[in-house]
Amino acid sequence: RSFASQTDGEARVTRVLQEKFPRASTIKVVDISGGCGAMYEIHIESEDFKEKRTVQQHQMVNQALSEEIKSMHGLRIFTSTPKP
């Protein structure tokens, strides 16, 4: 799917993540609820996650999306750090 065909929800979540993680090399947000915005899958690769445990990385994402999460049913988060 191209960037132009992102749903409004995907674009909104992507914008928030870009603001909160400006050093991220990859941010991918996919609405996995069929476009209704109830559930998202998020992939973020960022220097911000270096030397943090997975649970801490996911907490950072949850905190960044605290407002958006209120209207969601579920969220799948995948975080990583850039490979050297």
Side-chain angles (χ1 to χ4, degrees), residues 23-66:
R23 297 172 16 177
S25 49
T26 304
I27 294 179
K28 184 175 167 214
V29 178
V30 180
D31 185 335
I32 53 174
S33 61
C36 70
M39 184 143 180
Y40 290 93
E41 184 170 295
I42 296 172
H43 294 260
I44 303 180
E45 182 176 280
S46 177
E47 293 284 337
D48 297 307
F49 299 138
K50 272 207 162 108
E51 296 175 19
K52 290 188 168 51
R53 296 192 324 271
T54 303
V55 69
Q56 292 171 310
Q57 296 172 10
H58 290 200
Q59 285 169 339
M60 290 167 69
V61 174
N62 279 315
Q63 199 168 8
L65 294 174
S66 58

Side-chain angles (χ1 to χ4, degrees), residues 9-23:
E10 288 169 345
R12 188 176 63 250
V13 171
T14 301
R15 267 195 311 276
V16 171
L17 291 170
Q18 285 168 338
E19 287 170 23
K20 305 284 188 189
F21 299 100
R23 297 172 16 177

